[in-house]
Amino acid sequence: MVNPVVDAISGEPEFKHTPVMIQPFYGRWQGVLYVRPEWMASAPSEKQWDKDAFTWWVKIQTAQAIRYEIVDRTESLHVANKLQDLLPYDAENDEWLMYEDVHTDTLHIVVLREDRLMAAFYLAPREFLPDRDWLAGLFSRHRLSALHRRALLAGMPIGQANNEGALVCSCFKVGKNRIIETIKTKNITNEKQVTACLKAGGNCGSCLPEIRGLIKQCQSERESELSNEAN
């Protein structure tokens, strides 16, 4: 994408003045797949993904698991069968748990072996995809409880909606209660600090005015408490 123009002295390419053309990439559905690396080692080659599987995908290595972000332009009706072919699923040793709602184009798949998480796949509208950090953290557990199983099929920690409060940041699914708690415990004074702690406000930015309002609210409450203590 870089023009064949270089600096006469250094020979460095002229990165800052390179014209590019971009266009939107449209897909029928978006999903995220997490797999345990040692389990995935026995899967078919990823070259098969390019040939038969999905229109676009990217592989991201995390500390706990391998993450695949996936977008496809085909119907989502046969995704479960496609994943069974691409993953090293063993019907004798693995549990295949699945939740599907064709009306909302939602599909959750969890693969377990001896109560350990081997893989988790979520196809849903972007705002309903699970928190990536929470999902990756479950791969570090040596044994999953019944509550973890329910949470994995739900695509979110059980009880999160009640603890989070009203949703403020749709991009990262951060609720009002968690933002307020973070503001108070860390004595936050501006929205950039909230973003640094929770990611809220760090994508589209539409929630920043509400975050600023919560900061002012917490500051006002704190000033009132200090005033009452002084009196």
Side-chain angles (χ1 to χ4, degrees):
M1 295 197 305
V2 180
N3 273 342
V5 178
V6 298
D7 183 83
I9 298 176
S10 68
E12 291 293 321
E14 192 176 9
F15 290 115
K16 295 183 180 179
H17 302 283
T18 298
V20 297
M21 181 179 71
I22 61 174
Q23 58 184 4
F25 179 88
Y26 296 104
R28 284 179 177 263
W29 58 265
Q30 176 180 351
V32 60
L33 168 67
Y34 271 88
V35 295
R36 187 175 295 278
E38 59 269 28
W39 185 73
M40 192 63 178
S42 59
S45 170
E46 287 176 350
K47 292 181 180 179
Q48 194 73 14
W49 290 45
D50 292 324
K51 181 180 179 182
D52 301 322
F54 308 111
T55 307
W56 178 91
W57 60 272
V58 62
K59 177 181 179 180
I60 303 149
Q61 181 68 58
T62 71
Q64 299 93 345
I66 302 171
R67 183 174 104 222
Y68 295 90
E69 297 286 344
I70 302 168
V71 179
D72 200 52
R73 287 174 170 160
T74 63
E75 294 286 349
S76 61
L77 297 175
H78 306 294
V79 173
N81 293 333
K82 189 180 294 186
L83 285 173
Q84 282 197 347
D85 293 335
L86 294 172
L87 298 175
Y89 170 68
D90 182 347
E92 293 186 3
N93 298 308
D94 298 329
E95 294 182 71
W96 182 278
L97 311 178
M98 187 169 74
Y99 162 79
E100 184 175 19
D101 186 342
V102 295
H103 298 291
T104 60
D105 205 20
T106 299
L107 175 66
H108 298 175
I109 296 173
V110 178
V111 182
L112 304 174
R113 178 175 292 182
E114 297 179 352
D115 290 327
R116 297 184 73 203
L117 183 59
M118 296 294 114
F121 173 77
Y122 296 90
L123 184 160
R126 182 178 177 181
E127 61 271 20
F128 295 116
L129 290 174
D131 179 83
R132 308 299 199 267
D133 294 334
W134 165 75
L135 186 54
L138 291 176
F139 281 86
S140 63
R141 293 184 172 272
H142 295 292
R143 194 176 188 86
L144 295 177
S145 67
L147 190 63
H148 288 134
R149 288 170 174 251
R150 289 172 54 199
L152 281 164
L153 276 180
M156 62 186 294
I158 299 299
Q160 175 176 302
N162 294 330
N163 295 331
E164 287 280 324
L167 188 65
V168 174
C169 178
S170 296
C171 296
F172 295 105
K173 297 181 181 175
V174 184
K176 179 178 178 180
N177 293 346
R178 182 146 62 113
I179 292 175
I180 290 175
E181 181 183 0
T182 302
I183 293 170
K184 291 181 176 179
T185 57
K186 297 185 179 295
N187 294 318
I188 283 175
T189 58
N190 63 71
E191 65 274 14
K192 291 182 179 179
Q193 293 172 307
V194 173
T195 301
C197 293
L198 303 175
K199 297 183 181 179
N203 191 32
C204 72
S206 62
C207 61
L208 288 174
E210 187 171 358
I211 292 174
R212 295 188 193 106
L214 292 175
I215 293 172
K216 290 181 179 178
Q217 174 187 321
C218 292
Q219 289 175 335
S220 177
E221 291 176 359
R222 179 59 178 163
E223 289 171 0
S224 296
E225 289 174 1
L226 293 174
S227 177
N228 292 334
E229 290 175 2
N231 295 330

